PDB file of all heavy atoms in Angstrom:
ATOM      1  N   GLY A 140       9.479 -15.568  11.337  1.00 97.00           N
ATOM      2  CA  GLY A 140       9.177 -14.150  11.249  1.00 97.00           C
ATOM      3  C   GLY A 140      10.030 -13.357  12.210  1.00 97.00           C
ATOM      4  O   GLY A 140      10.695 -13.907  13.093  1.00 97.00           O
ATOM      5  N   PHE A 141      10.013 -12.056  12.020  1.00 98.00           N
ATOM      6  CA  PHE A 141      10.766 -11.123  12.846  1.00 98.00           C
ATOM      7  C   PHE A 141       9.809 -10.482  13.840  1.00 98.00           C
ATOM      8  O   PHE A 141       8.655 -10.207  13.503  1.00 98.00           O
ATOM      9  CB  PHE A 141      11.377 -10.029  11.973  1.00 98.00           C
ATOM     10  CG  PHE A 141      12.265 -10.556  10.886  1.00 98.00           C
ATOM     11  CD1 PHE A 141      11.800 -10.695   9.594  1.00 98.00           C
ATOM     12  CD2 PHE A 141      13.577 -10.926  11.157  1.00 98.00           C
ATOM     13  CE1 PHE A 141      12.614 -11.173   8.574  1.00 98.00           C
ATOM     14  CE2 PHE A 141      14.407 -11.411  10.153  1.00 98.00           C
ATOM     15  CZ  PHE A 141      13.926 -11.536   8.864  1.00 98.00           C
ATOM     16  N   SER A 142      10.282 -10.232  15.055  1.00 97.00           N
ATOM     17  CA  SER A 142       9.477  -9.535  16.055  1.00 97.00           C
ATOM     18  C   SER A 142      10.385  -8.964  17.123  1.00 97.00           C
ATOM     19  O   SER A 142      11.554  -9.346  17.241  1.00 97.00           O
ATOM     20  CB  SER A 142       8.456 -10.487  16.688  1.00 97.00           C
ATOM     21  OG  SER A 142       9.119 -11.498  17.431  1.00 97.00           O
ATOM     22  N   ALA A 143       9.826  -8.059  17.908  1.00 97.00           N
ATOM     23  CA  ALA A 143      10.550  -7.462  19.033  1.00 97.00           C
ATOM     24  C   ALA A 143       9.766  -7.744  20.309  1.00 97.00           C
ATOM     25  O   ALA A 143       8.543  -7.580  20.336  1.00 97.00           O
ATOM     26  CB  ALA A 143      10.694  -5.961  18.837  1.00 97.00           C
ATOM     27  N   ALA A 144      10.473  -8.178  21.352  1.00 96.00           N
ATOM     28  CA  ALA A 144       9.821  -8.400  22.640  1.00 96.00           C
ATOM     29  C   ALA A 144       9.419  -7.047  23.220  1.00 96.00           C
ATOM     30  O   ALA A 144      10.193  -6.094  23.180  1.00 96.00           O
ATOM     31  CB  ALA A 144      10.756  -9.132  23.591  1.00 96.00           C
ATOM     32  N   VAL A 145       8.206  -6.967  23.733  1.00 96.00           N
ATOM     33  CA  VAL A 145       7.703  -5.722  24.294  1.00 96.00           C
ATOM     34  C   VAL A 145       8.585  -5.268  25.462  1.00 96.00           C
ATOM     35  O   VAL A 145       8.796  -4.078  25.656  1.00 96.00           O
ATOM     36  CB  VAL A 145       6.223  -5.874  24.724  1.00 96.00           C
ATOM     37  CG1 VAL A 145       5.728  -4.658  25.474  1.00 96.00           C
ATOM     38  CG2 VAL A 145       5.352  -6.142  23.504  1.00 96.00           C
ATOM     39  N   ASP A 146       9.149  -6.219  26.215  1.00 95.00           N
ATOM     40  CA  ASP A 146      10.016  -5.850  27.341  1.00 95.00           C
ATOM     41  C   ASP A 146      11.448  -5.536  26.896  1.00 95.00           C
ATOM     42  O   ASP A 146      12.311  -5.236  27.712  1.00 95.00           O
ATOM     43  CB  ASP A 146      10.012  -6.925  28.425  1.00 95.00           C
ATOM     44  CG  ASP A 146      10.646  -8.236  27.991  1.00 95.00           C
ATOM     45  OD1 ASP A 146      11.223  -8.319  26.881  1.00 95.00           O
ATOM     46  OD2 ASP A 146      10.580  -9.204  28.774  1.00 95.00           O
ATOM     47  N   GLY A 147      11.703  -5.612  25.584  1.00 92.00           N
ATOM     48  CA  GLY A 147      13.011  -5.252  25.040  1.00 92.00           C
ATOM     49  C   GLY A 147      14.068  -6.337  25.100  1.00 92.00           C
ATOM     50  O   GLY A 147      15.184  -6.130  24.642  1.00 92.00           O
ATOM     51  N   THR A 148      13.750  -7.510  25.617  1.00 89.00           N
ATOM     52  CA  THR A 148      14.753  -8.569  25.727  1.00 89.00           C
ATOM     53  C   THR A 148      15.024  -9.229  24.383  1.00 89.00           C
ATOM     54  O   THR A 148      14.152  -9.296  23.518  1.00 89.00           O
ATOM     55  CB  THR A 148      14.315  -9.665  26.728  1.00 89.00           C
ATOM     56  OG1 THR A 148      13.090 -10.242  26.263  1.00 89.00           O
ATOM     57  CG2 THR A 148      14.124  -9.102  28.120  1.00 89.00           C
ATOM     58  N   THR A 149      16.238  -9.703  24.225  1.00 87.00           N
ATOM     59  CA  THR A 149      16.612 -10.459  23.023  1.00 87.00           C
ATOM     60  C   THR A 149      17.398 -11.700  23.437  1.00 87.00           C
ATOM     61  O   THR A 149      18.322 -12.119  22.762  1.00 87.00           O
ATOM     62  CB  THR A 149      17.452  -9.605  22.048  1.00 87.00           C
ATOM     63  OG1 THR A 149      18.602  -9.124  22.753  1.00 87.00           O
ATOM     64  CG2 THR A 149      16.662  -8.450  21.481  1.00 87.00           C
ATOM     65  N   ALA A 150      17.022 -12.280  24.565  1.00 86.00           N
ATOM     66  CA  ALA A 150      17.710 -13.468  25.082  1.00 86.00           C
ATOM     67  C   ALA A 150      17.537 -14.642  24.126  1.00 86.00           C
ATOM     68  O   ALA A 150      16.522 -14.750  23.436  1.00 86.00           O
ATOM     69  CB  ALA A 150      17.155 -13.831  26.452  1.00 86.00           C
ATOM     70  N   PRO A 151      18.529 -15.550  24.089  1.00 89.00           N
ATOM     71  CA  PRO A 151      18.391 -16.744  23.250  1.00 89.00           C
ATOM     72  C   PRO A 151      17.162 -17.563  23.670  1.00 89.00           C
ATOM     73  O   PRO A 151      16.830 -17.602  24.854  1.00 89.00           O
ATOM     74  CB  PRO A 151      19.678 -17.527  23.519  1.00 89.00           C
ATOM     75  CG  PRO A 151      20.643 -16.515  24.039  1.00 89.00           C
ATOM     76  CD  PRO A 151      19.809 -15.493  24.772  1.00 89.00           C
TER      77      PRO A 151
END
Side-chain angles (χ1 to χ4, degrees):
F141 303 99
S142 66
V145 172
D146 67 7
T148 60
T149 56

